[in-house]
Amino acid sequence: MTALTKSEMAERLFEELGLNKREAKEVVELFFEEIRASLQGNEQVKLSGFGNFDLRDKSQRPGRNPKTGEEIPISARRVVTFRPGQKLKARVEEYAGTES
Amino acid sequence: MTKSELIELIAARQSQLSSKDVELAVKTILEQMSQSLSTGERIEIRGFGSFSLHYREPRKGRNPKTGDAVELTGKYVPHFKPGKELRERVNLGLQEGL
């Protein structure tokens, strides 16, 4: 099965809402860009019914180059995690996994 | 940032559409994404990330109130893997002291 992409999202906005193709493409682009910008500014994103994008700061920890075995520290970083909302979880749980 | 704040930001950044149009568009996008995942289809957005389903094995759980053992069936849960641009920009935020 293929994956859902931005072009199919824009296509649906064109078909269902009657946005012209340029507007549809722009809105889809802005949708993801504004979420990225918020997360870059260290602000959580809460999309009710879908889920939350949260941020977690990780401190530096020891790591290893898996090829050479050499010890190299993994630098402190901030990571994005997604917590699906109740509604999305319930919808996905029903998926039996028979179609793929 | 909430969904309604996201809608206002998008509306402010383009000239043709009203807030109402943008609201409908955002809801349509989220509904399509939910639909996609609930039929087992992945979502792939370059520079943002991908959503897929992860399987959770059946396990024995307990009713937290009564302590009774209950069988929990296997299920699918949504999973998000941030893309390269998103990972880099979030880290940039950290380096800039945000």
Side-chain angles (χ1 to χ4, degrees):
Chain A
M1 196 188 255
T2 61
L4 175 64
T5 62
K6 285 192 289 189
S7 63
E8 287 166 84
M9 295 180 188
E11 187 63 24
R12 167 121 24 148
L13 298 182
F14 166 72
E15 282 169 8
E16 278 187 16
L17 303 183
L19 306 199
N20 71 42
K21 298 226 172 178
R22 190 185 45 74
E23 289 165 346
K25 202 175 160 218
E26 210 173 285
V27 168
V28 171
E29 204 57 61
L30 282 168
F31 174 84
F32 291 107
E33 176 49 27
E34 292 304 332
I35 296 175
R36 276 193 297 253
S38 176
L39 294 170
Q40 180 174 356
N42 200 20
E43 191 184 336
Q44 172 200 44
V45 177
K46 304 201 287 190
L47 304 174
S48 69
F50 187 74
N52 296 354
F53 294 93
D54 296 326
L55 294 151
R56 292 178 64 178
D57 285 352
K58 309 253 195 185
S59 40
Q60 181 182 305
R61 61 191 168 90
R64 225 173 250 288
N65 180 328
K67 273 195 190 134
T68 63
E70 186 194 354
E71 256 197 64
I72 23 167
I74 297 167
S75 58
R77 61 194 60 202
R78 179 173 290 157
V79 295
V80 178
T81 60
F82 175 67
R83 294 199 45 171
Q86 282 305 322
K87 209 167 132 194
L88 178 62
K89 274 204 273 190
R91 284 176 73 173
V92 162
E93 255 181 57
E94 287 167 26
Y95 173 67
T98 48
E99 293 166 57
S100 54
Chain B
M1 179 170 76
T2 62
K3 199 193 293 178
S4 48
E5 287 167 342
L6 173 63
I7 290 164
E8 287 316 312
L9 277 174
I10 297 173
R13 272 162 186 63
Q14 54 79 52
S15 46
Q16 276 82 37
L17 303 169
S18 66
S19 291
K20 194 73 209 162
D21 289 333
V22 174
E23 184 183 350
L24 268 174
V26 165
K27 287 182 172 165
T28 303
I29 292 169
L30 288 170
E31 174 55 25
Q32 190 178 15
M33 290 172 75
S34 300
Q35 255 171 25
S36 183
L37 288 173
S38 55
T39 55
E41 187 191 25
R42 296 166 53 82
I43 304 169
E44 286 178 8
I45 311 296
R46 183 164 306 164
F48 185 80
S50 59
F51 297 85
S52 59
L53 299 186
H54 279 187
Y55 183 64
R56 294 277 176 267
E57 294 288 338
R59 61 186 178 92
K60 288 185 174 59
R62 277 188 192 281
N63 179 326
K65 273 196 189 133
T66 63
D68 293 347
V70 281
E71 294 287 336
L72 297 173
T73 54
K75 63 174 183 183
Y76 284 89
V77 292
H79 180 260
F80 175 66
K81 185 170 184 279
K84 188 162 181 277
E85 187 194 338
L86 180 58
R87 287 202 309 271
E88 288 174 352
R89 285 178 58 178
V90 158
N91 255 311
L92 198 67
L94 178 67
Q95 279 148 32
E96 286 166 354
L98 295 173

